[in-house]
Amino acid sequence: MGRINTSMVLILCIMFVCTFVPCYSSKKPAGVARKEDIPYIKCGVCQKLSNQLYEQVQSKQQQISPKKISEYEIIEISENVCNLKKQEADWILKIDIVEEGDRLELVEYDSEGQCNSECKTIERACQEVMGYYDTDVAEFLYKKKPQLSQLVDYLCKDLSEACSTKPPPVPKGRTPGEAFVPKSVKEAEMEKLMKSMEGMPGAPGMKMYSREDLMNNMQNLGNEDADEEEDDDEPDFPSNLGKVLRQKEAKKDDWKLKITKRIQDTSEVLRNHANKVSHRVRQWWRRKKTTSSKAEL
C-alpha cells in the first residue's frame, strides 16, 4: 500500500472543517462598552441577571439531583454569570438594546446574536450590578432558597440599589446602537465548545482562522507534492513495526489523559478552596464594616 500524500490529507481535513464547522476570523473587531448607556439599562439588566441566577441554580440542581447543590457551585455561577468568556453569561448574547422614546428597553431574542458594543455594555452593567456581591447572592440563594421576586428585591434594591430609583430619560440625539445580528446555529455551537474548553491544557493557545487564511495556507502546500511523488517508490514500513508504533502512541495518549485528569481534579480542589477562603474573607470584611459603622454612630 503506497504512502498517503500529506497534502491531500490536509486538504481533506480543511474541506471537512469548513463544511461542518464554521471557520472564524481572528481579525474580528471587538466591541467596546458604551458606559454612558449603563444608567438607562442598569435596572433592566439587574432584573434579567436575577432571573438568570435563579434559573441556572435550578437547572444545576436538576442536573445533579438527588445530590444537593453546594454553596460553592452557586458561587461559581454567580462569579461567571456576568463574564462573556463563560457559558453562564451566554444569556447576554440574546439581548438587544432598543430605544423607545426616552427609555432604553432590553429586548430578548430566542437565538444568540453577534457580540458588539451593546453586548459589551450589558456585560459591563451586569458587572457593576453584581460588584462584590457574588458571595452574598450565592449565600442568599443557598440558605434562603428564595422565589424569583425575592431575589430581585434582594439584589436590585437591597444590595446594588440598581432599581431603587427610576432610570433617567435618555438624552435626545443619542447615537443608536448596532442592529441585532443573529448567529448561525453552527457558529453558536462552536463558540460554546470553545468556552467549554477554556482552562484545558493546550486550549489557551488555540486560534481560529478565516476560510481565506485556511485556503491560502493550503495553496502554499503545492510544492510538497513533488517531494511526495519521489518517495512513492520507497518500500513500505513493515506492518508489524507500524503496529508497535501505534501501540506505543496509544500508551503515550493514555498517560496524557491520566495526567490531564489529575490536573483537572487538582484545579477543582484548589478552586473550591479559594472560593471558601474568599467567602470567609468577604464575610469578615462585611462584619468589620458593620461594626465600624455602628461605632461611629
Side-chain angles (χ1 to χ4, degrees):
M1 188 174 182
R3 278 182 144 184
I4 299 175
N5 188 302
T6 56
S7 298
M8 287 302 298
V9 171
L10 184 57
I11 291 172
L12 291 173
C13 290
I14 292 175
M15 290 176 65
F16 176 82
V17 170
C18 292
T19 300
F20 297 100
V21 180
C23 301
Y24 307 111
S25 172
S26 58
K27 301 177 182 179
K28 183 178 178 180
V32 179
R34 296 176 58 171
K35 297 179 182 179
E36 65 274 13
D37 281 351
I38 292 179
Y40 313 115
I41 64 172
K42 203 168 186 177
C43 179
V45 169
C46 185
Q47 292 171 342
K48 290 190 177 295
L49 167 61
S50 301
N51 186 70
Q52 282 298 316
L53 286 167
Y54 184 83
E55 288 185 356
Q56 291 188 31
V57 169
Q58 295 295 320
S59 176
K60 183 67 175 181
Q61 178 60 74
Q62 292 177 2
Q63 290 176 12
I64 64 175
S65 181
K67 180 183 175 182
K68 184 180 178 182
I69 188 171
S70 68
E71 185 173 3
Y72 304 114
E73 288 174 315
I74 300 178
I75 288 175
E76 188 172 20
I77 293 174
S78 63
E79 286 180 342
N80 296 337
V81 74
C82 294
N83 184 354
L84 281 167
K85 295 181 180 179
K86 304 294 183 179
Q87 291 185 11
E88 289 86 350
D90 285 348
W91 61 277
I92 296 176
L93 300 172
K94 296 182 178 181
I95 299 178
D96 185 28
I97 301 176
V98 179
E99 190 170 333
E100 295 287 348
D102 62 351
R103 294 177 295 110
L104 291 183
E105 297 289 341
L106 302 178
V107 178
E108 188 169 352
Y109 288 82
D110 294 331
S111 60
E112 296 179 3
Q114 301 291 343
C115 188
N116 46 39
S117 65
E118 291 191 353
C119 166
K120 293 293 186 179
T121 303
I122 297 171
E123 178 190 38
R124 180 63 179 266
C126 184
Q127 292 170 350
E128 288 191 10
V129 168
M130 185 63 78
Y132 294 104
Y133 302 130
D134 47 3
T135 54
D136 297 288
V137 173
E139 183 179 6
F140 184 73
L141 283 163
Y142 180 73
K143 293 183 177 180
K144 302 293 184 181
K145 297 178 175 56
Q147 297 296 317
L148 177 58
S149 58
Q150 295 174 312
L151 179 59
V152 172
D153 288 341
Y154 179 70
L155 177 58
C156 303
K157 295 180 181 179
D158 298 338
L159 287 180
S160 69
E161 300 182 353
C163 296
S164 59
T165 58
K166 185 179 179 180
V170 177
K172 295 181 179 180
R174 170 187 173 272
T175 303
E178 304 93 341
F180 185 86
V181 180
K183 295 178 184 175
S184 67
V185 176
K186 289 183 178 180
E187 188 175 359
E189 289 177 351
M190 175 55 68
E191 289 194 2
K192 288 182 187 298
L193 176 61
M194 297 299 294
K195 287 180 182 179
S196 68
M197 296 173 66
E198 185 76 22
M200 291 179 61
M206 295 178 65
K207 296 181 180 180
M208 290 188 281
Y209 299 95
S210 67
R211 294 177 188 269
E212 292 77 12
D213 292 337
L214 289 173
M215 297 307 293
N216 287 336
N217 291 334
M218 184 176 66
Q219 290 175 357
N220 293 332
L221 297 173
N223 294 332
E224 295 181 2
D225 293 342
D227 296 335
E228 293 295 336
E229 289 174 0
E230 292 176 0
D231 295 336
D232 285 344
D233 295 333
E234 294 180 4
D236 297 333
F237 283 105
S239 58
N240 289 338
L241 177 59
K243 183 178 180 181
V244 171
L245 292 175
R246 286 194 297 270
Q247 289 175 345
K248 184 177 180 181
E249 190 67 26
K251 290 181 179 179
K252 186 189 297 184
D253 292 340
D254 185 53
W255 274 106
K256 288 181 180 178
L257 290 173
K258 288 181 180 179
I259 294 172
T260 301
K261 181 65 166 57
R262 184 66 60 86
I263 292 173
Q264 290 174 342
D265 292 342
T266 304
S267 299
E268 181 69 22
V269 172
L270 291 174
R271 183 167 62 251
N272 288 339
H273 181 70
N275 286 336
K276 186 176 181 180
V277 173
S278 175
H279 179 57
R280 288 180 177 177
V281 169
R282 290 181 182 179
Q283 284 185 324
W284 171 82
W285 180 247
R286 189 165 59 252
R287 287 196 298 269
K288 183 177 180 180
K289 288 198 299 183
T290 303
T291 303
S292 301
S293 299
K294 291 182 179 179
E296 292 176 358
L297 294 175

